[in-house]
Amino acid sequence: MNSPAESSPLTGRFIGLGSAMRAHGIRVGPSEVTDAARVAATLGFEHRERLRSGIAAAMVRRAEDRGTFDQLFDIFFPAAVGTRTTTEGIDGATLLDELADALAAGDDAALERLAAASVELLGRVDPDRPDRGWSAARTLDALNPQRAVAAAHQQVRATQEGAGGEGNAAASGSGGMAPAAGSGDTSWATNPWDRPSVRPEQLSDRFDRDELRRRVDRFRDRVTAETRRRNAELHDRERLARLAVPSSLRRRDFISSGERQLAELEREIDPLARKLAARLTARERAGRGSIDIRRTLRASMSTGGVPVKPAYRHRAPHRPDLVLLADLSGSVGGFSTFTMLLMQALRQHFRRVRVFGFVSSTAEITDVVRELPAGTSLTSWALGTPALIRRGTSSSYGWALRTFVRGHLDAITARTTVLILGDARNNFGDPGVADLEQIRDRARHLAWLNPEPRLLWYQGDSEVRRYANIVPMHECRNLEQLRHFVADTLPT
């Protein structure tokens, strides 16, 4: 059931939208909800996209929250109610042909109509039980819209060649179509295998195909939005908004992120590093030492001996060495890779950054991380590197700490900050507590970032209970928590 506030439908929609945004970690208060209602009253409901932009301006503060807002907006302010199009006489093949035409023409209205028709025709979870709702995955699996790209590209080429004129086609000697009758060249008709090749591949063809693939991606998003709209009519709207809308990028768990999400996170490294660098610089400049008694008393002479404005000693800037000790096993490799790349991007705030990776044994990988091409999986590389898997391909924190202490302990000095990245799951092996204590005693600061939810820290083969007695352990499940740690907690 929807909330009691639904008794006033429009008011309930705005209250529900604000609650759903807060559930996804977006800061929205009563004033923003009130402003959104005023915006809607001013703009009216005739132009939906204008209404969407107006409400977004009132309720969304950060650009990265806009994607989440758009999906929630579609749930609380749907584009229509019920079936939007007829599917009589339409089957999957017809849909695919019309999709190719719409992709080639870039017709957004046709793509919107075809998305609704696809869900209506192919998207029922159970055809015998309409109350089961609709599935975007089922729709897209049945339709497979990627198959329309080739046909759409042929249409685009034909249009371009027609626009280029016959003279251009004759000059090129190709054109991707059969030569016109009367051209004098009839060799193509003698044997199909002896036909001259079609127009050779050109650079513009790649751009055209990339654009068509982007249109297919937008069509997939339309199908997903349509299924959310249809499901919102059958199920609890608040529950659907909480479960069917993915978290924003900054609140998405590292561990549950797939390759595509991790690639999106890596694209956030440079802008995030610039923001964090500015905050770290501001924090360094704002740092001040203890009160300078002599200067304070001297300054108080102008106010009759009352120290109205105390003077502080200037604190000498400190640029520590940073050592990262990262678990590169499959379960947390994505989190470790992202954190290492971020710290490399912030290296100007440290005198030196050294990176050590491990699965069951430890080796220095500073150069590997520095030269890592974009999109490369460091986990796959680590699982094939003998120096990191001497005791197997499962995590062994005990052996990793031991090999680090025996082979690389000189990397830690009295000015070194050590960050350990991992979930502390040791597969019931020796935890190597004595080695961790040795690292703590040698380092200036030691901290542990754990990407697992805190509720799971003391379950199964986790050694958090032992390690947390030695080193401060911080939950770092997503980009937001990592940003807070670096900006507010990371010792500098």
Side-chain angles (χ1 to χ4, degrees):
M1 292 181 61
N2 294 329
S3 67
E6 297 286 337
S7 57
S8 176
L10 191 56
T11 304
R13 296 293 174 102
F14 283 106
I15 294 175
L17 177 60
S19 300
M21 292 174 67
R22 283 192 291 274
H24 282 275
I26 303 175
R27 294 181 180 179
V28 177
S31 60
E32 283 83 1
V33 176
T34 304
D35 290 344
R38 290 174 176 168
V39 167
T42 302
L43 296 178
F45 292 84
E46 290 79 12
H47 301 284
R48 188 162 180 271
E49 292 307 314
R50 186 176 64 182
L51 177 66
R52 182 200 298 269
S53 300
I55 295 178
M59 302 185 75
V60 180
R61 299 179 181 178
R62 296 180 175 179
E64 58 261 32
D65 293 331
R66 180 58 190 267
T68 303
F69 165 82
D70 284 339
Q71 297 179 62
L72 295 174
F73 179 86
D74 289 335
I75 292 176
F76 286 91
F77 297 90
V81 177
T83 304
R84 289 198 289 171
T85 181
T86 178
T87 57
E88 186 176 357
I90 300 178
D91 56 12
T94 307
L95 277 176
L96 207 59
D97 292 340
E98 294 187 15
L99 179 61
D101 296 341
L103 290 173
D107 188 342
D108 288 337
L111 290 172
E112 186 74 22
R113 178 180 58 79
L114 289 171
S118 301
V119 172
E120 178 68 25
L121 186 66
L122 308 170
R124 290 184 185 274
V125 174
D126 187 347
D128 299 328
R129 293 185 55 188
D131 61 315
R132 295 288 301 278
W134 310 85
S135 168
R138 190 183 183 89
T139 305
L140 294 171
D141 286 346
L143 182 61
N144 195 3
Q146 200 69 26
R147 290 183 298 166
V149 170
H153 187 233
Q154 289 295 329
Q155 294 188 32
V156 170
R157 286 182 55 175
T159 302
Q160 293 173 346
E161 290 161 4
E166 297 180 356
N168 187 32
S172 64
S174 57
M177 300 180 67
S183 63
D185 182 7
T186 59
S187 60
W188 58 274
T190 59
N191 188 338
W193 299 104
D194 293 336
R195 289 181 182 178
S197 60
V198 298
R199 176 170 65 87
E201 180 79 1
Q202 298 180 359
L203 182 60
S204 62
D205 292 333
R206 299 183 184 181
F207 292 123
D208 291 338
R209 279 196 291 269
D210 289 344
E211 175 59 25
L212 291 171
R213 293 190 185 103
R214 282 191 288 271
R215 291 175 184 174
V216 169
D217 290 341
R218 291 197 288 272
F219 175 76
R220 291 175 181 273
D221 294 339
R222 287 186 170 96
V223 170
T224 304
E226 177 68 12
T227 55
R228 274 199 300 267
R229 181 186 72 80
R230 301 295 298 271
N231 285 328
E233 298 172 357
L234 298 174
H235 307 295
D236 182 5
R237 186 177 295 114
E238 279 74 16
R239 185 169 182 270
L240 186 68
R242 187 174 65 255
L243 299 179
V245 176
S247 301
S248 63
L249 190 61
R250 60 189 173 85
R251 292 179 60 84
R252 195 169 298 162
D253 281 5
F254 289 118
I255 290 182
S256 60
S257 296
E259 291 185 4
R260 179 180 174 185
Q261 288 80 20
L262 289 173
E264 292 177 356
L265 284 171
E266 289 189 10
R267 287 195 290 271
E268 290 292 313
I269 287 179
D270 286 341
L272 177 60
R274 286 195 293 271
K275 293 178 183 176
L276 290 174
R279 293 189 64 171
L280 290 175
T281 302
R283 194 176 75 179
E284 291 170 0
R285 291 175 178 173
R288 55 192 182 189
S290 59
I291 292 179
D292 188 330
I293 300 297
R294 177 174 295 179
R295 291 175 55 212
T296 299
L297 292 177
R298 188 181 302 140
S300 69
M301 300 302 291
S302 61
T303 56
V306 179
V308 176
K309 189 176 181 180
Y312 295 91
R313 290 189 176 89
H314 295 292
R315 191 176 65 175
H318 172 67
R319 295 180 66 205
D321 295 340
L322 179 65
V323 168
L324 298 172
L325 188 55
D327 181 358
L328 297 178
S329 63
S331 58
V332 296
F335 156 73
S336 297
T337 302
F338 179 81
T339 306
M340 288 186 293
L341 292 175
L342 178 61
M343 293 303 170
Q344 285 283 0
L346 292 171
R347 59 184 176 276
Q348 72 271 20
H349 290 275
F350 304 96
R351 195 172 70 99
R352 182 183 304 135
V353 178
R354 297 183 68 179
V355 184
F356 297 85
F358 67 87
V359 176
S360 58
S361 56
T362 304
E364 182 166 7
I365 58 172
T366 304
D367 294 336
V368 176
V369 174
R370 186 183 299 123
E371 299 170 1
L372 188 68
T376 303
S377 172
L378 199 56
T379 298
S380 301
W381 172 83
L383 293 177
T385 303
L388 302 178
I389 54 173
R390 290 176 183 169
R391 303 285 293 187
T393 56
S394 299
S395 296
S396 175
Y397 281 76
W399 275 99
L401 293 170
R402 186 167 302 171
T403 51
F404 177 80
V405 168
R406 290 179 177 176
H408 309 285
L409 192 60
D410 57 350
I412 302 177
T413 66
R415 62 182 303 162
T416 301
T417 293
V418 179
L419 287 185
I420 301 177
L421 315 175
D423 58 4
R425 295 202 172 272
N426 195 38
N427 293 300
F428 302 101
D430 177 13
V433 171
D435 297 309
L436 183 60
E437 290 175 337
Q438 198 169 344
I439 294 173
R440 177 201 59 189
D441 296 340
R442 192 177 176 89
R444 180 186 179 92
H445 295 288
L446 177 62
W448 190 309
L449 301 185
N450 192 329
E452 277 197 341
R454 192 178 294 271
L455 289 174
L456 303 178
W457 281 10
Y458 304 102
Q459 299 179 13
D461 58 347
S462 174
E463 296 288 352
V464 168
R465 197 181 304 278
R466 296 186 183 184
Y467 292 147
N469 291 327
I470 303 170
V471 50
M473 191 166 289
H474 304 267
E475 184 186 67
C476 190
R477 298 167 51 191
N478 51 50
L479 187 60
E480 185 74 10
Q481 291 180 332
L482 179 59
R483 179 162 57 184
H484 281 305
F485 172 80
V486 174
D488 303 330
T489 310
L490 179 64
T492 55

